[in-house]
């Protein structure tokens, strides 16, 4: 089990309604904690799918990026704003750093 798999997991920034702090999910462990402890609702088809996909990714049955797709669908279902975090600097890419929605 790889709770801290980061090699293929593009970080996700979450803005939860009613909370002044934003969360950045960088690892499968971060995502599991968020889904099980801090998710605003534990029902919904996409939420259940994301929890299962998280378990599958941690156990190596699916790639972390496949889980990430399920996680983003669950965030959308729950009304959580999610942003892809781009970590490359302008020097590395030759362009301006940005955040994609």
């Amino acid at each position: 089990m790889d709770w801290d798999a980061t090699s293929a997991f593009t970080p996700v920034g979450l803005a939860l309604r009613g909370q002044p702090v934003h969360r950045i999910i960088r690892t499968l462990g971060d995502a599991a904690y968020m889904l099980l402890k801090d998710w605003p609702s534990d029902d919904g088809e996409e939420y259940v799918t994301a929890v299962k996909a998280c378990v599958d990714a941690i156990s190596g049955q699916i790639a972390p990026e496949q889980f990430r797709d399920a996680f983003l669908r669950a965030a959308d279902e729950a009304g959580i704003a999610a942003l892809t975090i781009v970590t490359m600097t302008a020097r590395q890419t030759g362009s301006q750093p940005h955040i994609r929605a």
Side-chain angles (χ1 to χ4, degrees), residues 17-40:
R17 283 185 269 175
Q19 294 187 20
V21 178
H22 301 294
R23 303 275 176 87
I24 297 178
I25 307 301
R26 292 182 177 93
T27 67
L28 294 170
D30 291 345
Y33 186 89
M34 181 73 198
L35 285 167
L36 298 176
K37 298 288 186 178
D38 292 333
W39 207 255

Side-chain angles (χ1 to χ4, degrees), residues 6-82:
T6 58
S7 61
F9 193 94
T10 304
V12 176
L14 300 178
L16 299 164
R17 283 185 269 175
Q19 294 187 20
V21 178
H22 301 294
R23 303 275 176 87
I24 297 178
I25 307 301
R26 292 182 177 93
T27 67
L28 294 170
D30 291 345
Y33 186 89
M34 181 73 198
L35 285 167
L36 298 176
K37 298 288 186 178
D38 292 333
W39 207 255
S41 173
D42 63 356
D43 61 355
E45 187 175 322
E46 297 297 347
Y47 170 80
V48 172
T49 299
V51 170
K52 182 183 180 320
C54 190
V55 171
D56 290 347
I58 289 168
S59 65
Q61 295 177 26
I62 65 170
E65 284 294 332
Q66 287 177 284
F67 158 71
R68 186 179 175 279
D69 291 341
F71 186 74
L72 290 173
R73 287 191 304 273
D76 184 55
E77 175 183 71
I80 299 171

